[in-house]
Amino acid sequence: MKKIAVFLFEGAELFEIASFTDIFGWNNIVGLKEFRDIKMETISYKENIKCTWGGKIKVEKVITEENIGNFFDYDILIIPGGFGKANFFEEKNNEIFKKLIKYFSESNKIIVAICSAVINLLESGYIKNKKVTTYLLDNKRYFNQLKNYNIIPVEEEIVIDNNLFTCSGPGNALELSFKLLEKLTSSENLEIVKKNMFLK
């Protein structure tokens, strides 16, 4: 069984969360039987997260300094992005998050960062010499920040470098979830899930 953790910062965008939770949820119902065992859970450094556009999410598991070791058995870490005005970058230097990234990076596990979440990911200091993208609009102010890190900025909407998946916005999150599902299962399985969800 594969285990996926969706790490939520304050101000995360619901669409970027749902692009993954819904695709993998549907997979466990309509996907090929041999692939219906992918477990996905929302995690954070606190119990409730207020989303960018309002509404709160109660996470399934709270990660702390004391229990962080329990989260090392996840296979994939997904980090949805959010807006600064919703305090998304307030905890970018969160030590718990940094330790999680350190472990996933050193273990060569899959990390997925969507839109502005790339900035929080890179602030951890553990992503180096990787091809990366982020939000490309708004005078490229987020993309231009990439030069502050020891990575290779790529001005494309979706960039995959080995086990690091990054994309430029909410609209790409859905496509990125397709790519992740295909990587973990098969192209046939992906098409079955998309068909049942009426996704093209």
Side-chain angles (χ1 to χ4, degrees), residues 91-128:
E91 289 283 341
K92 67 183 179 183
N93 292 312
N94 184 288
E95 288 302 320
I96 296 168
F97 177 71
K98 285 184 176 181
K99 288 179 181 178
L100 202 58
I101 297 304
K102 180 178 189 291
Y103 178 80
F104 269 76
S105 178
E106 291 177 351
S107 303
N108 200 32
K109 293 191 174 189
I110 295 173
I111 300 174
V112 179
I114 305 153
C115 194
S116 59
V118 172
I119 303 301
N120 285 9
L121 172 65
L122 296 179
E123 278 291 319
S124 72
Y126 294 109
I127 304 300
K128 297 177 181 178

Side-chain angles (χ1 to χ4, degrees), residues 9-14 17 49-57 86:
F9 281 99
E10 183 78 7
E13 283 196 73
L14 191 55
I17 302 166
I49 295 298
K50 185 176 180 182
C51 296
T52 286
W53 309 117
K56 284 189 176 181
I57 292 179

